[in-house]
Amino acid sequence: MWHYKEKKVIALVSDDFEDLELWYPVLRLREALAEVHLVGEKAGHIYHGKYGVPATSDFAFSDINVEEYDGILVPGGWSPDKLRRYQEVLEFIRYFDKAKKPIGQICHAGWVLISAGILKGIHVTSTPGIKDDMMNAGAIWHDQAVVVDGHIVSSRRPPDLPEYLHELVKVFEG
């Protein structure tokens, strides 16, 4: 059994997130005693997933000091296309990359990492729909359930969540 009693994780949120790709990792990490904060453009705002599941943000992007966190989760759905437009989000991703702290990304979340400019030479996966985007950003793309390249853990889609979380947990454990 793994325990993260002192781990703090950011889970990015905006409208149209893929419901399972946000909530499964958040609940799994919280179950392991991690403190996971939902962080969106506004604090206390209710965002809705593609299938209507709500998520209320704990903090706004501007409230966060990333140095207090041990990792970040980027869910898929259509929210990554919104999230990558915020400079704070791109700065978060660059910080975690430079610090070699865990970055979890699934499905369309690769768009955020592309916009942050951190994928050159990195082995990843994603939904096949953005394969070309990932490769054009310099990533080495693989069609498999989960790919781990150092601190970056990527996955394709909801059916791959068990494998994704298994590997993400290992990366958080160090």
Side-chain angles (χ1 to χ4, degrees):
M1 185 70 177
W2 38 277
H3 298 282
Y4 297 155
K5 293 180 183 176
E6 297 181 21
K7 299 285 183 184
K8 285 177 66 177
V9 180
I10 293 169
L12 296 173
V13 65
S14 69
D15 282 323
D16 300 318
F17 59 86
E18 205 306 326
D19 306 63
L20 287 172
E21 294 170 0
L22 173 70
W23 283 113
Y24 189 118
V26 166
L27 295 173
R28 179 88 160 112
L29 292 178
R30 284 180 178 166
E31 178 184 74
L33 305 177
E35 187 176 351
V36 182
H37 294 145
L38 300 181
V39 181
E41 180 185 10
K42 301 173 193 167
H45 182 78
I46 299 173
Y47 295 93
H48 293 91
K50 285 172 44 178
Y51 305 106
V53 176
T56 303
S57 56
D58 299 304
F59 298 102
F61 301 139
S62 60
D63 296 334
I64 295 298
N65 175 359
V66 293
E67 294 176 8
E68 296 175 1
Y69 288 85
D70 300 296
I72 192 165
L73 300 173
V74 187
W78 303 123
S79 68
D81 190 37
K82 296 175 178 111
L83 290 168
R84 67 182 176 165
R85 300 173 196 198
Y86 294 98
Q87 191 60 39
E88 298 99 328
V89 169
L90 301 180
E91 289 171 9
F92 293 171
I93 297 298
R94 291 179 190 127
Y95 166 79
F96 286 108
D97 185 54
K98 185 175 181 184
K100 304 295 184 216
K101 292 182 178 183
I103 298 172
Q105 69 101 42
I106 185 168
C107 197
H108 286 84
W111 279 336
V112 176
L113 280 65
I114 288 168
S115 293
I118 67 162
L119 290 181
K120 188 171 178 78
I122 302 297
H123 291 266
V124 295
T125 193
S126 67
T127 180
I130 66 165
K131 170 187 173 183
D132 292 344
D133 300 334
M134 300 288 273
M135 292 172 58
N136 288 337
I140 303 159
W141 191 86
H142 303 272
D143 187 11
Q144 57 193 64
V146 63
V147 173
V148 178
D149 191 335
H151 62 288
I152 298 174
V153 182
S154 58
S155 191
R156 293 178 301 198
R157 55 182 102 48
D160 300 325
L161 281 163
E163 294 93 338
Y164 171 56
L165 266 294
H166 178 77
E167 295 300 325
L168 188 64
V169 166
K170 281 195 217 174
V171 170
F172 267 102
E173 289 177 330

